[in-house]
């Protein structure tokens, strides 16, 4: 038996040693060695294995246990965080497990998977996250293999305020079953407050895996390893479930006189938190509801604001005012909430509205309305106690904002760019929960509960010589300020090109002086801007991209990475269409070839989006 040297990663001396060793091994020794290498190989991307000091004892046992594959689809990294948590726990139980993003997984290996665990978010109106699209398309294609020997389970993350709640997870779960897979543990669908149901799913999956391990012959080989705890590092003191109360250092309006917009620049202190971040990451803020809206609700229901009510399953309590002000969501109506309200309000018109045949009418009603509208339009027909009412409400979901600063350039600080949402609907003036708090009630010296949300899917290339194209109208420009601050701090002057747009040059050119300084100093190579309300004909960022299509295509041919940040429903789709058109125009591609080119860029991490 000779080691083939073609494309071998071994140097000649190693090849010679292996060629002398391998022929001398017995079959048992070869099996033992392969198990040992599998158990100790920790450099494989995504692989997590038991501690090395137990690897040799477990080598044969490992080869007998089923391998576990964990795949995640995530826009904001919640799915990735949960997948990594699950990976550590499973590895700590003595299993061999790999963890990868769905778009990093080689789909042709799906037929060889044994136990498959998928953690996925749902994006927009029922769409897969960007890093799950290719896997989703493959799974629903004719190329998808039969999975008769595969066991699977799905954890689905979503938001009940969207019509197609957790749709991607539901689709994966359904399709894996259709392909012949066996459900290891039932799918769990999580709302924005996902911590408890996700923990229950993880524990349920672990229990099923342990049951299978106990029944396998391998269990008898490693009796002392059952249930061994994993060597996990200490968790950060501050996190999504335990946010840090950051002091507000600055709160400025970036828009000039005459602007139709209000965009706040917030600077927060992270001193004492041990929190840090990288460009492309987000900061989560746990907001408070407008106290005026809370008081209106309490007045409408004729409640005592000081009455004590429970706020969660743990038995924690707050006054009615505090619960509605700081803990519970009151500004968004969802179908599940309406169903629960119909049950306890006993209002005939509300019961009629939530009937299955009124689905479209209900969907239209939910748009732009809040809890005060619900109570005003469908008042309870009986006295409703506050403790019963708060049970149907969910926690206030955190709001995520792209960081607008570099931690290296601003140690122990984080900057944010927040556009204030104001609108008129159904006879009342409305304001966004967090953006309204930021613009109206967040003074320097106040504190905001915050946590860092990692976003590995929106990162600068490691090689500073790779060209970077940044597209971000309005507040979508926020992460690019962090990119440029980082490059300036590191004195990196690679090719960078910014496309920025807003309404008016004179009042809405966010961070104008900084961009011009970076251009002057060579950290920013090019900048093209579009101000839609300054000309008779509206001009947007995608129009500037088309105007510079030749140069933009040349940058792409040089390997440029493209970043898109901002509105998903219109801007991101228009920019994607523009990129495809440029591929067709400048590259001579057909439409399907251009689309495939962009898909390949996405898989190569050259096309990254942070859209909302």
């Amino acid at each position: 038996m000779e080691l083939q040297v073609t494309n071998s990663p071994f140097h000649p001396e190693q090849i010679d040693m292996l060629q002398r060793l391998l022929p001398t091994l017995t079959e048992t020794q070869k099996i033992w060695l392969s198990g040992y290498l599998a158990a100790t190989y920790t450099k494989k991307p995504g692989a997590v294995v038991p501690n090395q000091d137990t690897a040799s004892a477990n080598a044969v046992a490992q080869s007998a246990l089923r391998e576990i594959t964990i795949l995640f689809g995530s826009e904001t990294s919640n799915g990735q965080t949960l997948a990594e948590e699950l990976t550590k726990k499973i590895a700590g139980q003595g299993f061999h497990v790999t963890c990868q993003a769905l778009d990093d997984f080689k789909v042709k290996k799906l037929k060889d998977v044994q136990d498959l665990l998928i953690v996925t978010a749902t994006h927009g109106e029922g769409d897969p996250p960007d890093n799950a699209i290719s896997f989703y398309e493959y799974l629903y294609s004719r190329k998808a293999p039969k999975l008769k020997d595969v066991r699977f389970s799905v954890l689905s993350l979503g938001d009940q305020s969207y019509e197609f709640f957790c749709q991607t997870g539901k689709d994966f779960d359904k399709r894996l079953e259709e392909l012949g897979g066996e459900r290891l543990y039932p799918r769990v669908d999580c709302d924005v407050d996902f911590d408890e149901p996700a923990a229950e799913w993880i524990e349920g999956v672990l229990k099923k895996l342990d049951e299978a391990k106990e029944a396998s012959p391998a269990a008898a080989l490693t009796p002392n390893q059952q249930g061994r705890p994993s060597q996990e590092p200490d968790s950060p003191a501050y996190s999504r479930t335990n946010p840090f109360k950051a002091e507000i250092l600055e709160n400025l309006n970036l828009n000039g006189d005459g602007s139709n917009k209000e965009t706040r620049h917030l600077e927060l202190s992270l001193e004492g938190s041990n929190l840090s971040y990288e460009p492309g990451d987000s900061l989560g803020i746990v907001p408070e509801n407008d106290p005026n809206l809370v008081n209106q609700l309490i007045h409408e229901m004729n409640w005592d604001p000081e009455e004590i009510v429970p706020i969660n399953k743990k038995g924690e309590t707050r006054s009615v005012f505090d619960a509605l002000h700081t803990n519970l969501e009151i500004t968004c109506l969802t179908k599940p909430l309406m169903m629960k309200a119909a049950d306890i309000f006993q209002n005939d018109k509300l019961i009629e509205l939530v009937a299955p045949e009124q689905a479209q009418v209900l969907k239209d009603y939910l748009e732009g309305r809040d809890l005060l509208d619900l109570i005003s339009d469908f008042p309870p027909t009986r006295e409703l106690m506050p403790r019963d009412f708060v049970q149907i409400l969910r926690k206030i979901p955190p709001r995520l904002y792209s960081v607008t600063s570099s931690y290296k350039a601003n140690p122990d600080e984080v900057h944010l760019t927040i556009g204030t949402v104001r609108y008129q609907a159904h006879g009342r003036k409305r304001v966004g929960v967090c953006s309204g708090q930021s613009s109206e009630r967040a003074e320097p010296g106040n504190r905001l509960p915050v946590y860092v949300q990692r976003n590995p899917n929106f990162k600068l290339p490691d090689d500073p010589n790779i060209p970077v194209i940044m597209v971000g109208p309005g507040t979508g420009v926020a992460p690019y300020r962090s990119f440029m601050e980082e490059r300036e701090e590191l004195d990196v002057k690679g090719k960078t090109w910014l496309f920025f747009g807003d309404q008016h040059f004179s009042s809405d050119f966010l961070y104008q002086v900084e961009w011009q300084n970076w251009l002057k100093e060579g950290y920013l190579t090019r900048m093209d801007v579009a101000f839609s309300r300054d000309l008779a004909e509206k001009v947007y960022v995608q129009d500037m991209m088309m105007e510079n299509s030749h140069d933009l295509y040349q940058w792409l041919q040089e390997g440029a990475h493209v970043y898109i940040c901002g509105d998903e429903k219109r801007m991101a789709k228009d920019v994607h269409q523009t990129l495809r058109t440029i591929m067709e125009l400048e590259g001579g591609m057909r439409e399907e070839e251009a689309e495939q080119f962009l898909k390949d860029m996405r898989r190569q991490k050259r096309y990254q989006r942070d859209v909302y």
Side-chain angles (χ1 to χ4, degrees):
M1 178 179 179
E2 291 190 353
L3 183 71
Q4 297 298 314
V5 297
T6 304
N7 297 324
S8 170
F10 301 101
H11 57 67
E13 291 82 358
Q14 290 175 317
I15 293 172
D16 181 64
M17 292 170 63
L18 287 169
Q19 287 177 338
R20 284 187 283 113
L21 172 65
L22 292 176
T24 69
L25 298 179
T26 66
E27 287 303 312
T28 301
Q29 288 172 327
K30 291 174 184 177
I31 293 172
W32 188 95
L33 181 59
S34 66
Y36 176 81
L37 292 174
T40 58
Y41 182 31
T42 59
K43 294 184 179 181
K44 180 180 177 181
V48 179
V49 296
N51 297 324
Q52 187 168 344
D53 62 350
T54 64
S56 58
N58 287 334
V60 178
Q62 286 284 347
S63 65
L65 290 173
R66 292 169 65 92
E67 293 196 4
I68 299 163
T69 303
I70 299 176
L71 303 178
F72 60 85
S74 179
E75 288 284 353
T76 64
S77 85
N78 284 331
Q80 179 171 351
T81 300
L82 289 169
E84 290 171 349
E85 176 186 342
L86 176 62
T87 301
K88 290 177 182 177
K89 290 187 175 182
I90 290 177
Q93 299 298 317
F95 290 94
H96 185 274
V97 55
T98 59
C99 179
Q100 293 178 286
L102 280 157
D103 61 350
D104 288 335
F105 178 72
K106 297 186 183 303
V107 292
K108 291 184 179 180
K109 293 185 176 180
L110 184 59
K111 64 181 184 299
D112 300 322
V113 167
Q114 295 179 321
D115 286 343
L116 175 63
L117 306 175
I118 294 180
V119 181
T120 185
T122 294
H123 195 52
E125 298 300 326
D127 300 320
D130 281 355
N131 66 348
I133 292 175
S134 57
F135 183 88
Y136 186 96
E137 291 176 345
Y138 175 79
L139 204 63
Y140 275 86
S141 72
R142 292 184 178 182
K143 295 181 180 180
K146 296 299 180 183
L147 305 176
K148 62 178 182 178
D149 295 322
V150 175
R151 299 188 307 180
F152 70 90
S153 186
V154 177
L155 177 67
S156 187
L157 307 179
D159 183 339
Q160 287 189 347
S161 64
Y162 286 87
E163 180 180 3
F164 300 102
F165 172 61
C166 286
Q167 190 63 48
T168 300
K170 293 174 181 177
D171 289 346
F172 280 151
D173 186 66
K174 176 183 176 184
R175 184 59 174 159
L176 290 170
E177 183 179 42
E178 290 174 347
L179 293 171
E182 175 191 349
R183 193 172 281 102
L184 174 70
Y185 188 78
R187 185 189 79 246
V188 170
D189 298 332
C190 302
D191 198 5
V192 288
D193 184 20
F194 58 79
D195 299 282
E196 288 186 11
E200 291 174 4
W201 179 80
I202 288 175
E203 290 306 312
V205 167
L206 285 171
K207 183 177 180 181
K208 288 293 184 181
L209 292 174
D210 278 341
E211 288 174 359
K213 184 168 70 170
E214 291 288 348
S216 75
L221 297 175
T222 56
N224 295 327
Q225 299 305 315
Q226 305 300 319
R228 175 169 178 160
S230 59
Q231 301 294 316
E232 295 186 29
D234 292 337
S235 299
Y238 297 105
S239 63
R240 181 179 179 275
T241 54
N242 182 33
F244 173 72
K245 293 185 177 179
E247 181 182 355
I248 301 172
L249 303 176
E250 292 283 357
N251 187 349
L252 308 171
N253 184 6
L254 295 176
N255 298 99
D257 293 339
S259 176
N260 298 317
K261 297 185 172 184
E262 182 181 359
T263 309
R264 311 302 301 192
H265 172 82
L266 266 65
E267 298 184 3
L268 308 176
S269 171
L270 297 179
E271 186 175 359
S273 68
N274 290 323
L275 293 174
S276 63
Y277 57 87
E278 296 178 349
D281 288 342
S282 297
L283 192 78
I285 298 179
V286 183
E288 295 179 349
N289 289 311
D290 183 347
N292 292 325
L293 179 60
V294 173
N295 284 325
Q296 286 179 277
L297 278 168
I298 293 174
H299 176 75
E300 192 78 15
M301 297 298 288
N302 197 28
W303 286 336
D304 176 3
E306 298 303 318
E307 183 175 339
I308 300 301
V309 294
I311 59 168
N312 56 34
K313 295 179 181 178
K314 299 177 183 177
E316 295 180 78
T317 60
R318 299 281 188 278
S319 70
V320 171
F321 178 87
D322 287 344
L324 297 176
H325 182 215
T326 63
N327 295 97
L328 302 172
E329 184 176 61
I330 62 174
T331 58
C332 179
L333 300 181
T334 66
K335 183 177 178 180
L337 171 62
M338 298 292 284
M339 301 288 286
K340 294 173 184 175
D343 187 47
I344 65 172
F345 282 25
Q346 293 298 299
N347 182 297
D348 291 340
K349 290 184 178 179
L350 180 56
I351 293 172
E352 180 181 344
L353 179 63
V354 300
E357 60 270 18
Q358 296 293 312
Q360 186 58 51
V361 178
L362 175 59
K363 181 181 177 182
D364 293 340
Y365 179 82
L366 297 179
E367 187 69 29
R369 286 186 168 89
D370 59 23
L371 206 56
L372 184 58
D373 294 305
L374 174 62
I375 293 171
S376 300
D377 295 339
F378 306 100
T381 58
R382 61 186 181 86
E383 183 179 2
L384 198 59
M385 303 303 293
R387 68 168 41 251
D388 297 325
F389 186 79
V390 299
Q391 296 302 311
I392 72 172
L393 303 180
R394 66 180 185 178
K395 285 178 62 176
I396 297 178
R399 270 56 171 180
L400 292 174
Y401 296 98
S402 300
V403 297
T404 316
S405 54
S406 160
Y407 189 83
K408 290 184 175 68
N410 305 274
D412 283 337
E413 285 186 19
V414 61
H415 302 171
L416 302 176
T417 308
I418 301 177
T420 305
V421 178
R422 300 184 192 278
Y423 60 100
Q424 182 94 14
H426 312 294
R428 283 173 44 213
K429 291 181 179 180
R430 320 273 172 153
V431 63
V433 177
C434 196
S435 66
Q437 180 182 355
S438 299
S439 64
E440 298 174 356
R441 306 185 302 280
E443 301 291 338
N446 294 163
R447 292 182 179 270
L448 292 174
V450 304
Y451 63 94
V452 172
Q453 181 84 20
R454 304 293 178 189
N455 187 358
N457 302 313
F458 204 78
K459 289 286 179 273
L460 283 166
D462 293 331
D463 183 352
N465 296 313
I466 293 176
V468 170
I469 299 170
M470 305 171 286
V471 183
T475 56
V477 80
Y480 307 137
R481 182 176 182 266
S482 73
F483 283 8
M484 298 311 299
E485 279 198 349
E486 184 91 351
R487 288 199 155 200
E488 180 182 24
E489 185 68 18
L490 299 175
D491 197 25
V492 171
K493 294 185 176 181
K495 292 177 68 175
T496 50
W497 190 349
L498 173 68
F499 289 92
F500 172 74
D502 216 312
Q503 292 186 353
H504 300 286
F505 173 85
S506 60
S507 60
D508 303 320
F509 198 161
L510 306 183
Y511 304 111
Q512 176 186 358
V513 173
E514 294 182 40
W515 299 119
Q516 291 175 332
N517 285 338
W518 282 320
L519 269 173
K520 180 181 178 181
E521 294 166 6
Y523 295 105
L524 183 62
T525 310
R526 293 185 62 167
M527 179 168 62
D528 285 277
V529 295
F531 294 98
S532 60
R533 306 292 174 86
D534 284 346
L535 300 173
E537 186 175 346
K538 292 182 179 180
V539 179
Y540 299 103
V541 287
Q542 58 267 29
D543 299 312
M544 300 308 300
M545 293 170 67
M546 280 302 306
E547 189 174 309
N548 294 277
S549 63
H550 177 74
D551 289 351
L552 197 150
Y553 181 74
Q554 291 302 315
W555 279 48
L556 293 177
Q557 292 301 105
E558 294 171 23
H561 286 212
V562 179
Y563 299 85
I564 314 295
C565 183
D567 171 61
E568 180 202 20
K569 291 184 179 179
R570 294 182 297 274
M571 182 278 299
K573 290 182 178 179
D574 290 342
V575 168
H576 182 87
Q577 174 61 51
T578 300
L579 286 170
R580 191 169 64 192
T581 302
I582 290 173
M583 297 297 104
E584 297 171 29
L585 178 68
E586 301 292 343
M589 302 180 190
R590 297 191 303 273
E591 181 178 339
E592 58 271 20
E593 291 175 328
E595 189 62 42
Q596 186 59 49
F597 185 90
L598 293 175
K599 286 182 179 180
D600 292 340
M601 283 185 61
R602 185 174 287 168
R603 272 193 289 267
Q604 297 160 9
K605 310 297 184 186
R606 288 181 54 204
Y607 182 18
Q608 301 183 31
R609 307 196 312 165
D610 183 6
V611 296
Y612 37 85

